[in-house]
Amino acid sequence: MQMSQAARELFEARFDKSSLSSFNEALKSGVDLEPPKLSHGSRRFHRLALFSGRRRLFFFLSTLAQIVVKRAFATEPNLFSLLQNYTRSFPGIRARISRGSASGPITAAMSTMCSGCGRRMPHVLTVAGSDSGAGAGIQADIKACGALGAYCSSVVTAVTAQNTVGVQGVHPIPEEFVEEQLRSVLEDMGVDVVKTGMLPSVGVVKVLCQSLKKFPVRALVVDPVMVSTSGDVLAESSTLSGYRDELFAMADIVTPNVKEASALLGGVPLRTVADMYSAAKSIHNLGPKNVLVKGGDLPESSDAIDIFFDGKKYHELLGLRVKTHNTHGTGCTLASCIAAELAKGLPMLRAVQNAKTFVQNALDYSKDIIIGNGPQGPLDHLFSLETHSCNAGARSFNASDLFLYAVTDSTMNRKWNRSIVAAVKASIEGGATIIQLREKEAETCEFVEAATACIQICRSSGVPLLINDRIDVALACDADGVHVGQSDMPARIARKILGPGKIIGVSCKTPAQAEQAWADGADYIGCGGVFPTATKQNNTTVGLDGLKSVCLASKLPVVAIGGIGVVNARSVMEIGVPNLKGVAVVSALFDRECILTEARKLRSVLTDSVSEFLLR
Ligand SMILES: Nc1ncnc2c1ncn2[C@@H]1O[C@H](COP(=O)(O)OP(=O)(O)OP(=O)(O)O)[C@@H](O)[C@H]1O
Ligand SMILES: Cc1ncc(CO)c(N)n1
């Protein structure tokens, strides 16, 4: 749902001196506020100034917005987070916004900014039933949103006595009390997205519709829960008419499983993927903006296929079916994750894709856990806390280490008749900020010996040293970490072997691989080959566009790799995505006569391109 015109005007009217100063305070102190969105069509405009020391560099927001578009931030709708990323990435640069007086096409509408100064979280309200077993319902929703970084408030519609065997009892909450809970939360707490689960009666559906009309939110995700995984009924059949008559028309997305889709369509059988396509279209005709028909329960399907339909285009979302009994609550989890991603500002299809990836990762991680004695266990929504809490005690990995990343190559060292140790020494002297030893042909004993010598040099200069692929060598010489490719040891296992204190990097070519690396507990990703290179023949290149889309999708810092050198490093950094932290080079340093000179040249190109971007 869109913010109403009246609400928008109210917010714009509140975009006054005091909200400006709290915005500026937030920028200064580095705390996160819900970012203001760029909105078109406003009559006012605001001036943005960037300060470097005492120097003040003025931009009009409209100009910045053009840069934003030109520099490929078109998909980054949040000017605020952009500014924060820049002010954080480049200490010494401060940003400030003040009010202008002329008319301009673009303004920072402070629509979602809270009135005080502080950190505002993406906020999902779940309106659903309680599952005493905590695999589904309210409990799953809170955990899923938490895992994805969203705050989750809850309006309980029913209390169920439920475990891994089935549902033993259902106790609906009186409609008036559901209404009271809704008012309490919606009136006060700045909800971004509402997600619905078990709505036990048509009366509750009506109460919800009325409340949402009174307190509009940015988006509504409807999971039309009818029956539990165990086959127990969770909603009166009259609820279906409530969905069809009123709630669906307000929904941004509806997410039925095949049984629910069938029930919503009067009992038409859904047996094949083709049936799911036509069900998605028929449900779309009932009023929601988007439909996701989930195929987790599709009989005889070896994949977990979901069909997404936005009214014009279909997307077949494929997932590998995880072999596990722990699938209780996957539907609630998926819908909550969609809501969390929408609350964070993602577009619908991206939100759905991310949600599906999360469910798949959670299923995979939880496939062997044993909770309860029944046939359908819960999943561990907080699996990433486990992988990431490992990192808590780690040698703190600093993403700025990725600025000039030197990757050694034994063939090149032989060609130029120098030792690994000499090569590493020269690159550090020239300004390399992290070293990776990539010695594909070296004998193990020779490799350990060289790595041990390099570690001493790196430690004395404060430069981290990673080993490519060879976890055994990294352990043997107590390196700072490893870098693994897609066909090497999976990062999740590498993390288990190496423990929390080591850095792990993963080579990724796609957003899905980047998401996996994050879920596996990696610290950074290397994305490439950006350009063709002789170092890795038959390596498909992703180009600058591919690099950009991986950076935008990655929750981890990124270093670009592949065919990068003095002549093209600037074009790489100029894609201007905040989490692109630097370039990794092989030939540009090690296939040159003087490593020291080349490293210095590269470092100065990188420094110039970053500061030029800020001055433009
Ligand atoms: N075994 C599995 N492996 C991978 N993905 C799965 C598996 N089972 C379900 N999924 C995915 O989980 C998501 C939820 O779908 P599902 O059809 O299980 O929902 P649901 O029946 O509403 O769940 P529940 O009633 O258990 O909450 C979908 O994206 C689906 O493809
Ligand atoms: C409370 C509740 N909501 C939803 C489901 C669907 O999985 C369930 N089993 N229990």
Side-chain angles (χ1 to χ4, degrees):
M1 282 179 294
Q2 290 296 312
M3 188 192 307
S4 70
Q5 185 58 30
R8 185 177 294 283
E9 276 168 17
L10 180 72
F11 278 125
E12 293 214 346
R14 277 172 51 192
F15 185 30
D16 54 12
K17 253 186 164 173
S18 64
S19 37
L20 273 180
S21 61
S22 44
F23 177 32
N24 285 321
E25 273 309 304
L27 275 173
K28 210 160 60 186
S29 59
V31 298
D32 289 306
L33 278 187
E34 176 71 11
K37 303 274 185 294
L38 284 177
S39 78
H40 297 259
S42 166
R43 263 167 272 113
R44 294 195 207 98
F45 83 127
H46 298 90
R47 262 192 311 252
L48 163 76
L50 290 183
F51 297 84
S52 175
R54 289 219 177 142
R55 266 173 80 202
R56 189 171 63 175
L57 316 150
F58 260 109
F59 297 106
F60 291 120
L61 270 192
S62 49
T63 315
L64 185 84
Q66 280 158 15
I67 295 173
V68 166
V69 174
K70 195 170 122 208
R71 316 279 308 184
F73 283 113
T75 48
E76 158 62 272
N78 291 329
L79 175 63
F80 187 82
S81 57
L82 185 77
L83 290 177
Q84 283 204 322
N85 274 322
Y86 269 91
T87 49
R88 277 178 193 160
S89 304
F90 304 104
I93 299 286
R94 288 180 296 116
R96 190 181 165 75
I97 289 213
S98 57
R99 192 168 229 167
S101 54
S103 61
I106 297 177
T107 185
M110 304 297 282
S111 60
T112 47
M113 181 179 160
C114 61
S115 48
C117 183
R119 201 157 74 89
R120 201 185 168 289
M121 284 186 82
H123 185 160
V124 174
L125 162 64
T126 173
V127 182
S130 158
D131 168 5
S132 53
I138 291 271
Q139 290 80 357
D141 299 345
I142 293 174
K143 286 185 277 184
C145 287
L148 291 186
Y151 184 82
C152 185
S153 53
S154 54
V155 163
V156 183
T157 58
V159 180
T160 68
Q162 197 172 167
N163 57 20
T164 58
V165 179
V167 181
Q168 291 80 43
V170 175
H171 185 77
I173 303 295
E175 283 153 26
E176 313 76 67
F177 197 67
V178 172
E179 188 178 11
E180 194 168 336
Q181 295 177 70
L182 281 165
R183 191 174 335 107
S184 295
V185 179
L186 288 169
E187 172 172 87
D188 170 54
M189 296 183 71
V191 172
D192 295 306
V193 178
V194 166
K195 176 257 161 188
T196 72
M198 176 180 178
L199 304 178
S201 65
V202 68
V204 168
V205 177
K206 288 204 168 115
V207 158
L208 175 65
C209 292
Q210 281 155 11
S211 302
L212 288 173
K213 280 178 197 149
K214 232 182 275 165
F215 304 105
V217 291
R218 271 196 358 237
L220 172 64
V221 176
V222 174
D223 183 18
V225 171
M226 300 300 298
V227 178
S228 73
T229 327
S230 52
D232 299 280
V233 174
L234 297 173
E236 291 168 0
S237 55
S238 58
T239 312
L240 287 173
S241 63
Y243 282 131
R244 282 189 296 240
D245 297 345
E246 210 172 350
L247 193 61
F248 278 9
M250 303 171 81
D252 290 86
I253 185 164
V254 171
T255 63
N257 62 25
V258 281
K259 281 187 208 136
E260 288 151 357
S262 164
L264 284 164
L265 298 172
V268 293
L270 295 185
R271 292 198 194 91
T272 62
V273 174
D275 294 340
M276 289 168 66
Y277 272 84
S278 58
K281 187 161 193 305
S282 307
I283 294 170
H284 188 266
N285 289 338
L286 298 173
K289 292 195 189 71
N290 300 278
V291 179
L292 181 75
V293 178
K294 300 171 297 190
D297 300 329
L298 193 72
E300 291 154 35
S301 170
S302 55
D303 291 322
I305 300 170
D306 303 339
I307 304 300
F308 176 80
F309 183 55
D310 63 9
K312 287 196 191 101
K313 262 184 99 181
Y314 293 93
H315 295 266
E316 194 168 307
L317 307 178
L318 271 180
L320 285 178
R321 184 173 289 280
V322 179
K323 284 206 178 78
T324 176
H325 294 297
N326 296 331
T327 58
H328 174 58
T330 42
C332 306
T333 305
L334 185 82
S336 296
C337 291
I338 296 173
E341 295 293 81
L342 291 176
K344 281 151 69 178
L346 263 69
M348 184 59 79
L349 181 58
R350 273 286 293 285
V352 172
Q353 286 165 330
N354 287 1
K356 186 160 171 68
T357 305
F358 178 89
V359 171
Q360 176 134 6
N361 287 339
L363 281 167
D364 191 45
Y365 194 85
S366 317
K367 59 179 184 263
D368 301 325
I369 61 174
I370 301 171
I371 296 177
N373 298 304
Q376 217 107 34
L379 38 96
D380 178 6
H381 297 84
L382 302 180
F383 69 100
S384 70
L385 279 188
E386 201 177 307
T387 44
H388 283 272
S389 64
C390 294
N391 294 348
R395 165 210 179 281
S396 66
F397 169 66
N398 189 345
S400 61
D401 288 341
L402 300 174
F403 193 54
L404 176 51
Y405 189 142
V407 184
T408 68
D409 181 286
S410 42
T411 322
M412 289 170 197
N413 285 338
R414 256 199 311 277
K415 174 177 159 191
W416 292 97
N417 198 21
R418 54 192 163 216
S419 67
I420 304 175
V421 177
V424 166
K425 220 182 224 166
S427 44
I428 292 177
E429 263 178 64
T433 51
I434 187 167
I435 307 287
Q436 182 192 135
L437 301 187
R438 188 169 172 277
E439 299 295 319
K440 290 291 180 193
E441 291 123 43
E443 297 287 342
T444 301
C445 138
E446 179 196 339
F447 194 1
V448 171
E449 196 179 314
T452 307
C454 290
I455 278 287
Q456 278 163 17
I457 298 162
C458 287
R459 293 259 152 89
S460 64
S461 353
V463 170
L465 182 126
L466 310 186
I467 306 291
N468 182 284
D469 186 14
R470 295 286 303 269
I471 293 176
D472 54 342
V473 175
L475 283 170
C477 68
D478 191 25
D480 294 302
V482 292
H483 183 94
V484 290
Q486 289 293 322
S487 49
D488 297 337
M489 180 76 77
R492 176 144 58 94
I493 302 174
R495 173 63 70 207
K496 271 195 186 141
I497 297 172
L498 290 174
K502 300 292 181 189
I503 302 167
I504 296 181
V506 181
S507 298
C508 298
K509 284 187 191 296
T510 64
Q513 289 173 351
E515 176 76 18
Q516 186 66 51
W518 170 80
D520 285 350
D523 295 291
Y524 75 89
I525 64 165
C527 179
V530 178
F531 305 114
T533 162
T535 321
K536 271 198 172 185
Q537 277 147 3
N538 308 323
N539 183 24
T540 47
T541 52
V542 296
L544 290 173
D545 287 344
L547 170 66
K548 196 169 72 195
S549 61
V550 171
C551 288
L552 288 169
S554 174
K555 298 188 184 86
L556 296 172
V558 184
V559 62
I561 188 163
I564 302 171
V566 171
V567 288
N568 55 16
R570 174 187 297 265
S571 69
V572 174
M573 292 314 284
E574 276 183 349
I575 72 164
V577 184
N579 64 339
L580 177 63
K581 297 297 179 190
V583 299
V585 290
V586 188
S587 327
L589 288 187
F590 299 111
D591 201 11
R592 299 286 185 276
E593 190 166 6
C594 182
I595 295 174
L596 175 78
T597 312
E598 298 304 322
R600 279 190 182 144
K601 275 197 238 163
L602 249 170
R603 175 121 187 183
S604 103
V605 169
L606 290 172
T607 311
D608 286 353
S609 57
V610 169
S611 38
E612 252 180 50
F613 176 76
L614 280 172
L615 292 173
R616 218 170 283 177

